[in-house]
Amino acid sequence: MDIFLGIDIGGSSIKYGWGNCEEGLQSYQTLVLQRKNRDDFLALVQEMFNNVDSKIGLNNLKGIGMGMPGAIDKITGLVTTNNPNLPFWVNHHPSELLPENCNIPFAFDNDANLMALAESYTQKKDYVAGVTIGSGIGCGIIIEGRIYHGAYGFAGELGHICVVDKGLRCNCGKNGCLEAYASGEGLRRRLALKNPCYAEMDLPAILAIKETDTLVGDYIKQGQLMLTAALSGLATCLDPEIIIIGGGAMDLGLYCIWELKEEIIKKLPAAHSTHLKVTKAINGNKAGVLGAIKLIEDKFNSN
Ligand SMILES: [Zn+2]
């Protein structure tokens, strides 16, 4: 049996596991990044590879797949100059994280792309828009079972489409992005701008009062309208079979999947609304690792 290592690098943790698509994960673990700086990050990556080597042996791996936040330039493979989740990992190549003299076949991609790839495989759909709603908004587009990267590698940046002219500042440096309004962190920041008392609250605390606090309820509703307008636009252009929505803020209950579905379908042209499915992601926090494994497996299958 071929064993692949899947690594999902996030802003606050590294998730990893090994196995293959057909038989699933044999192991899955999370290492938490205690302090967000480059040295601690590199030490955690090293710890992960040491763990894998001691448990299964790096030489027994057929391939390694890796996902990380940030837009990855298709030509150079470098993570571009704006990576709010890993600010210390910019203009670097993901392969720099591999152990020295590592000759194991390697593939990498953006984490939202890998979430979409994993869901495409698990839900057996070849035309997928996969969306993650957490502190930011990520999106991966799958066409004919493969990740669509666009001309330069930056396709699917749904969180950074402009929804409000001269609107709130976004992590990417621009103003009025969807992410600044409809993500978990966007909601929190918006509320804090209105009243500092919200600045002390984390997302679960904010969501706990969404039924009783009018401002919270209104801002969530506004975010939902912007999100569904963006997603129905995406579906109208791409004609996917399914929009799959996941991410930490969704798991906490920021939006209800049935309401999202209803609003997206309502905004679609008739031809699209007949077919489009909208569902919740089913791989949870393992999606990135599974997608990374699928990515490297596909590399072998296409050769
Ligand atoms: Zn932005």
Side-chain angles (χ1 to χ4, degrees):
M1 168 181 162
D2 292 332
I3 301 289
F4 298 89
L5 175 66
I7 306 166
D8 178 13
I9 296 196
S12 52
S13 68
I14 298 176
K15 304 182 183 84
Y16 64 102
W18 56 85
N20 59 42
C21 286
E22 208 179 315
E23 298 180 50
L25 290 177
Q26 291 181 346
S27 168
Y28 172 79
Q29 285 160 77
T30 302
L31 294 174
V32 176
L33 184 60
Q34 302 289 358
R35 283 167 307 193
K36 291 192 179 194
N37 62 60
R38 191 182 146 89
D39 286 348
D40 284 35
F41 170 65
L42 292 175
L44 201 67
V45 172
Q46 185 64 52
E47 184 186 335
M48 175 206 55
F49 278 116
N50 290 345
N51 283 354
V52 176
D53 198 28
S54 68
K55 300 258 172 53
I56 188 166
L58 286 175
N59 290 331
N60 292 318
L61 296 171
K62 183 149 189 211
I64 299 174
M66 182 186 285
M68 59 194 325
I72 300 175
D73 188 304
K74 189 169 151 180
I75 318 267
T76 61
L78 300 179
V79 179
T80 57
T81 48
N82 202 316
N83 197 358
N85 281 317
L86 285 178
F88 46 82
W89 195 256
V90 164
N91 282 329
H92 285 282
H93 197 285
S95 66
E96 292 172 40
L97 296 173
L98 295 175
E100 250 176 84
N101 304 319
C102 174
N103 293 317
I104 304 166
F106 177 59
F108 58 90
D109 213 310
N110 164 272
D111 52 2
N113 288 349
L114 294 186
M115 170 273 190
L117 186 66
E119 294 291 336
S120 155
Y121 178 76
T122 314
Q123 303 208 29
K124 297 187 170 47
K125 302 280 188 237
D126 284 339
Y127 297 84
V128 175
V131 184
T132 57
I133 301 170
S135 53
I137 292 182
C139 175
I141 297 163
I142 306 295
I143 295 176
E144 294 177 348
R146 296 191 167 264
I147 296 167
Y148 175 71
H149 291 100
Y152 305 104
F154 308 136
E157 289 290 329
L158 188 81
H160 303 290
I161 61 170
C162 183
V163 292
V164 178
D165 187 39
K166 300 188 183 75
L168 291 174
R169 193 147 177 95
C170 176
N171 281 329
C172 72
K174 286 193 347 177
N175 289 78
C177 292
L178 179 66
E179 184 169 296
Y181 291 85
S183 69
E185 185 57 21
L187 169 70
R188 218 181 60 80
R189 274 176 29 200
R190 252 190 112 188
L191 287 164
L193 282 174
K194 195 83 177 172
N195 186 333
C197 74
Y198 295 108
E200 310 295 318
M201 299 167 77
D202 60 10
L203 190 60
I206 289 169
L207 295 180
I209 56 167
K210 73 174 179 178
E211 306 294 341
T212 51
D213 185 308
T214 321
L215 187 68
V216 173
D218 285 352
Y219 278 5
I220 292 176
K221 191 71 197 159
Q222 284 171 18
Q224 181 165 310
L225 287 172
M226 291 170 178
L227 177 66
T228 52
L231 287 174
S232 63
L234 186 74
T236 306
C237 292
L238 290 177
D239 190 22
E241 294 169 270
I242 190 166
I243 295 177
I244 298 172
I245 305 172
M250 274 305 282
D251 293 341
L252 289 172
L254 174 56
Y255 304 116
C256 159
I257 190 73
W258 295 109
E259 286 181 24
L260 292 181
K261 181 178 180 174
E262 208 175 276
E263 279 182 29
I264 292 167
I265 302 282
K266 207 162 64 185
K267 291 176 175 122
L268 287 176
H272 295 72
S273 63
T274 322
H275 300 290
L276 182 72
K277 293 182 177 63
V278 179
T279 64
K280 245 184 148 168
I282 57 177
N283 289 308
N285 51 15
K286 294 193 177 83
V289 169
L290 288 167
I293 289 175
K294 175 80 172 103
L295 183 77
I296 183 68
E297 272 201 53
D298 281 352
K299 203 169 168 179
F300 280 92
N301 295 336
S302 64
N303 285 341

